[in-house]
Amino acid sequence: MTVEPARADTSASDPLPWHWQELDWASMRPGGGHDELLVALIAAASFVESATAVYTRNLVGHFHDRPEVRDWLDAHWRDEELQHGAALREFTQRAWPDFDWPAAYATFHADYTRRCTPDDLNPDPQLELVARCVVETGTATLYRSFHELALAHDEPLLADLTRRIMRDEVSHFRHFHGFFRRVAEPQRRSRLARLRVIAARATEVRDDDAACALRHVHAHRFARRAGDTGFDALRARGASVLRSRYPFAMVVRMGLKPLDLPARVGMAIERPAAWMLARLMR
Ligand SMILES: [Fe+2]
Ligand SMILES: [Fe+2]
């Protein structure tokens, strides 16, 4: 059975900031010649982004009594994330013409839907908005790494695409941060409570989703091939190349923002924190 992802609604009065069809797809090398690991990571990202509708349902339900957040999620965020999925799918299918994307996505989707429940969300809306900032920090920095990898592999179209997606993710971060400030206006949760959420999300974040997606890419692309070294090896290689291009300063700068530290304090800890993070992730 195939499961088609929901499509972005481009008829809305406020359209998407860009459209994936306007990229120079004809410039892309058709089939073969693409780095297999890079395409596998992009394919995994295309699955997670394409399944946004499942996640949106949970989030919209969570913020049902906050019209500003709920309506933006429904009218903008969802469609922008779905467009990321559509564009990354297009790249994957052009790079791997023999890859059965719909079949692989269907098995991922069944797995993902079971795991992605409203229980993942923080019951306190203010703290869930802090968590949203962490998630968008994770995606913005991930696409920054993809952008650098695309440049290194001489993939100009992918570099253009991942730069556009990164900008959207930064914009999502700004929206969630703005909502946090407004929702928290009457009484902001303590810095310690916010720090706990940041630390918890930063370690658990939907890294699970990426691993789940990559598992299905592996099963449909590599598992039955001679010389396959297994899913764990693929995952380890993927983590290693992404780490090699990871923007540590950017993740610290964005990740600490919901703490509203005085500017001087933020600037003072940014460098040492980025250095420590880079060492921890080695
Ligand atoms: Fe996205
Ligand atoms: Fe996003």
Side-chain angles (χ1 to χ4, degrees):
M1 190 186 80
T2 59
V3 182
E4 273 300 311
R7 284 180 194 282
D9 178 10
T10 51
S11 63
S13 56
D14 192 356
L16 294 164
W18 54 278
H19 295 94
W20 69 268
Q21 295 90 339
E22 73 199 26
L23 269 76
D24 188 11
W25 293 100
S27 70
M28 191 178 153
R29 297 191 297 276
H34 300 273
D35 182 76
E36 283 280 299
L37 181 58
L38 176 58
V39 182
L41 295 170
I42 294 293
S46 77
F47 288 176
V48 178
E49 298 273 16
S50 297
T52 299
V54 179
Y55 208 60
T56 313
R57 269 199 298 278
N58 295 346
L59 274 182
V60 166
H62 198 65
F63 290 105
H64 67 95
D65 56 352
R66 310 261 172 193
E68 185 192 23
V69 184
R70 183 195 65 206
D71 295 349
W72 175 78
L73 284 169
D74 217 17
H76 296 274
W77 182 82
R78 172 182 175 275
D79 287 348
E80 289 180 19
E81 302 290 18
L82 286 175
Q83 163 156 272
H84 300 166
L88 296 166
R89 172 184 180 171
E90 183 72 18
F91 178 86
T92 305
Q93 290 188 307
R94 284 175 182 256
W96 287 350
D98 55 340
F99 178 63
D100 192 346
W101 192 97
Y105 177 72
T107 60
F108 159 76
H109 190 269
D111 213 354
Y112 180 77
T113 312
R114 255 196 317 275
R115 297 153 16 95
C116 183
T117 66
D119 304 340
D120 295 343
L121 307 177
N122 194 306
D124 181 335
Q126 201 184 118
L127 292 179
E128 181 51 34
L129 287 167
V130 171
R132 291 291 99 212
C133 289
V134 178
V135 172
E136 299 291 352
T137 296
T139 52
T141 49
L142 173 69
Y143 285 106
R144 172 75 179 272
S145 306
F146 278 146
H147 176 72
E148 298 294 333
L149 280 173
L151 291 175
H153 284 285
D154 192 24
E155 294 277 7
L157 177 122
L158 186 62
D160 179 18
L161 172 59
T162 47
R163 184 181 47 83
R164 291 171 190 240
I165 297 179
M166 181 191 71
R167 284 183 180 171
D168 286 353
E169 307 296 6
V170 171
S171 156
H172 297 166
F173 171 90
R174 291 198 178 121
H175 274 88
F176 282 122
H177 187 241
F179 293 142
F180 160 71
R181 294 180 82 117
R182 288 194 282 284
V183 168
E185 203 54 60
Q187 196 188 9
R188 202 166 283 202
R189 299 290 175 262
S190 73
R191 274 208 182 101
L192 184 61
R194 284 177 271 158
L195 183 62
R196 279 207 189 106
V197 170
I198 292 171
R201 284 293 170 121
T203 46
E204 93 204 10
V205 199
R206 316 208 56 89
D207 189 38
D208 289 356
D209 295 349
C212 171
L214 192 61
R215 188 181 294 281
H216 290 274
V217 172
H218 175 264
H220 286 259
R221 176 76 181 177
F222 303 101
R224 283 181 291 275
R225 281 189 176 174
D228 173 45
T229 50
F231 167 69
D232 289 339
L234 179 71
R235 186 184 181 184
R237 284 197 296 130
S240 170
V241 294
L242 287 170
R243 210 163 40 229
S244 70
R245 308 276 166 174
Y246 200 64
F248 292 101
M250 179 178 172
V251 78
V252 169
R253 200 163 47 244
M254 290 175 75
L256 293 182
K257 203 134 195 227
L259 291 181
D260 292 314
L261 296 169
R264 263 188 313 164
V265 177
M267 275 162 65
I269 63 171
E270 192 180 305
R271 275 182 134 196
W275 179 83
M276 217 162 73
L277 193 62
R279 287 185 72 88
L280 282 173
M281 284 179 69
R282 221 181 245 172

